[in-house]
Amino acid sequence: IPVLDYIQRIIKYTNLEPACLLILLIYVDRVCERNKLFTISSLTVHRFIIAAITVGCKSLCDVYFTNAHYAKVGGISTRELNSLEV
């Protein structure tokens, strides 16, 4: 699934606030800056996006969904999302 479609899916099923999309960009920048060996590829981008949005919503928003909901929307298992969140 193209990244734009993936993000649109997340927005549709989570009522994502625009600020959470901005924090996603900050997370991408910080992770890439701190870990020079980390690269976002077509194999990792979707997992990174759903994990960053989950963490961003939890830190920024007063009301957010459970990890099970974010995992379902993102197409990964809850267990994997929990691992990525850590």
Side-chain angles (χ1 to χ4, degrees):
I1 182 171
V3 172
L4 180 59
D5 292 344
Y6 190 69
I7 292 174
Q8 287 174 335
R9 173 183 167 79
I10 293 168
I11 292 169
K12 179 179 179 180
Y13 292 109
T14 63
N15 297 321
L16 191 66
E17 294 184 23
C20 290
L21 288 175
L22 291 175
I23 206 163
L24 169 64
L25 295 175
I26 293 168
Y27 286 160
V28 168
D29 184 56
R30 286 184 181 176
V31 167
C32 291
E33 181 67 28
R34 290 182 182 176
N35 187 351
K36 301 294 184 188
L37 298 177
F38 179 81
T39 55
I40 297 178
S41 70
S42 60
L43 300 175
T44 61
V45 67
H46 298 88
R47 285 173 174 77
F48 186 88
I49 288 171
I50 196 63
I53 286 177
T54 301
V55 171
C57 287
K58 286 182 174 184
S59 64
L60 191 64
C61 302
D62 292 332
V63 178
Y64 51 85
F65 291 99
T66 63
N67 280 15
H69 182 77
Y70 287 114
K72 186 172 186 176
V73 170
I76 62 174
S77 70
T78 305
R79 185 177 190 172
E80 183 176 11
L81 181 58
N82 291 341
S83 176
L84 292 169
E85 185 179 21
V86 171

